[in-house]
Amino acid sequence: MSFFKKVINVFKREQFDWDELEHTLISSDLGVKLTMQILDQLQEKGRKLKADDVIETCRREILDILPEEQPSLEIFEDKPTVILVVGVNGVGKTTSTAKLAHYFQSRELGVTLAAADTFRAAAIEQLEVWSDRLSIPLVKGQYKADPSSVCFNAYDAAVKNGSKFLICDTAGRLHTRHNLMEELKKVERVLAKKDPDAPSERWLVVDATTGSNALNQAQEFNKIMDLTGLIVTKLDGSGKGGCVISIQHELGIPTRFIGTGETAEDFHSFKAAQFVDEIL
Ligand code: GDP
Ligand code: MG
């Protein structure tokens, strides 16, 4: 059900119930902080509240939180910009890595891919299939190889290829697994040895259908690496996309791209105004 319809339903009751409105806002993944802010504003209005007031207040508050323009990506004259793609299992890291590569490539910005998810043989093959299909060079390691060594080699290949971007797909990890998180830090350290600017970007992939879990994931990953962006996938499904707002609001991490399907084209640069129109 759309957010708008849910709010309308709250107003259809005999007796307007603030708790129900609060529940509706929270279950839209707006986050507790923003929900409280919106409720405070509405209570201040002190007159008979209408559904339109709620929608308008939400729109204003959300647009206030989401930056109009995204921070721009630094592109270097003589070396690749490295983007590390991280997240838990199954959120769409590998697919998003391929889509992102396709996005840059079709804008005349060359890309090299690193298959740094060496944890599962199938993950390497999956990215290889994309790399063949999209004609984008890929560097891979052996199954179970050290992901940092794959990224290390891929950096050299990206320089040799004259790529503007090196995008590193990594293994899905539970934010509660200490060793795997340490492994990510090692990837960062090893890349920084090659190039003190690398990785310029550390993007977390979250699945919009997981609701408020996405915020937890962002909190945990952000503790071990300074996340610089978010890719929100599966917005074509039942995903509500509220996590875009809560993660920006609570952690200051901007959404860069959204995934809306399984093909390379189902991927769009994030635009705040358009997003708000779609969710409200
Ligand atoms: P990873 O484990 O994080 O690397 O996740 P994958 O990239 O392997 O994706 C897991 C599943 O989600 C695959 O079946 C993808 O096709 C699917 N997927 C990824 N992104 C999207 C999306 O934006 N929309 C939909 N509907 N499916 C997606
Ligand atoms: Mg994967």
Side-chain angles (χ1 to χ4, degrees):
M1 199 192 310
S2 79
F3 180 74
F4 183 73
K5 282 207 185 109
K6 278 199 250 172
V7 170
I8 296 284
N9 281 350
V10 177
F11 286 88
K12 276 186 184 156
R13 308 265 184 275
E14 289 274 307
Q15 191 101 51
F16 174 74
D17 182 351
W18 281 100
D19 286 343
E20 194 185 354
L21 182 60
E22 176 178 332
H23 178 76
T24 302
L25 296 177
I26 287 185
S27 68
S28 305
D29 305 332
L30 292 186
V32 177
K33 199 163 144 189
L34 177 58
T35 297
M36 293 311 156
Q37 222 165 287
I38 290 171
L39 289 175
D40 278 351
Q41 292 232 359
L42 291 172
Q43 274 166 345
E44 271 174 27
K45 283 189 183 277
R47 58 183 166 84
K48 205 165 180 312
L49 210 56
K50 294 197 279 305
D52 274 355
D53 295 326
V54 180
I55 304 283
E56 266 326 297
T57 303
C58 288
R59 181 187 308 276
R60 217 179 34 242
E61 292 293 314
I62 293 170
L63 283 175
D64 227 35
I65 288 165
L66 299 177
E68 243 170 86
E69 299 281 331
Q70 314 196 358
S72 58
L73 285 176
E74 188 166 17
I75 296 179
F76 301 102
E77 200 49 47
D78 52 352
K79 62 182 185 184
T81 298
V82 181
I83 304 178
L84 201 59
V85 178
V86 304
V88 306
N89 258 321
V91 287
K93 289 179 300 301
T94 303
T95 312
S96 299
T97 298
K99 288 170 167 180
L100 185 60
H102 176 65
Y103 178 92
F104 288 135
Q105 191 100 325
S106 52
R107 283 161 181 75
E108 312 287 319
L109 297 163
V111 178
T112 296
L113 289 168
D117 178 358
T118 56
F119 204 65
R120 289 181 312 126
I124 303 173
E125 285 161 28
Q126 188 189 353
L127 197 59
E128 233 173 350
V129 169
W130 279 109
S131 123
D132 288 344
R133 201 187 294 162
L134 301 170
S135 307
I136 297 174
L138 168 82
V139 174
K140 58 175 183 171
Q142 295 291 323
Y143 168 56
K144 298 279 183 197
D146 184 346
S148 53
S149 75
V150 177
C151 293
F152 192 80
N153 294 335
Y155 187 90
D156 288 338
V159 171
K160 204 159 133 248
N161 295 338
S163 298
K164 285 295 170 200
F165 288 97
L166 168 64
I167 310 176
C168 308
D169 181 28
T170 65
R173 55 203 74 223
L174 275 178
H175 42 73
T176 48
R177 291 283 297 278
H178 181 71
N179 292 349
L180 284 172
M181 289 304 227
E182 284 303 314
E183 193 182 84
L184 270 187
K185 284 203 221 169
K186 185 173 170 200
V187 169
E188 275 199 294
R189 280 199 306 275
V190 166
L191 279 167
K193 272 188 207 151
K194 279 277 173 207
D195 170 2
D197 290 315
S200 301
E201 301 292 335
R202 293 156 301 273
W203 290 1
L204 179 74
V205 181
V206 294
D207 173 343
T209 63
T210 60
S212 59
N213 244 324
L215 175 61
N216 288 334
Q217 290 162 15
Q219 273 159 343
E220 295 306 316
F221 275 86
N222 203 38
K223 275 183 202 157
I224 66 134
M225 51 173 40
D226 201 3
L227 295 173
T228 58
L230 194 70
I231 297 177
V232 180
T233 63
K234 311 193 192 181
L235 276 168
D236 50 312
S238 53
K240 292 168 292 201
C243 61
V244 164
I245 303 155
S246 55
I247 293 174
Q248 176 76 62
H249 194 37
E250 315 226 350
L251 300 169
I253 302 165
T255 297
R256 306 291 193 141
F257 287 90
I258 54 173
T260 55
E262 298 193 68
T263 77
E265 279 75 32
D266 299 322
F267 195 67
H268 309 278
S269 171
F270 179 76
K271 305 266 187 307
Q274 194 181 335
F275 172 78
V276 173
D277 282 343
E278 275 160 23
I279 59 166
L280 288 185

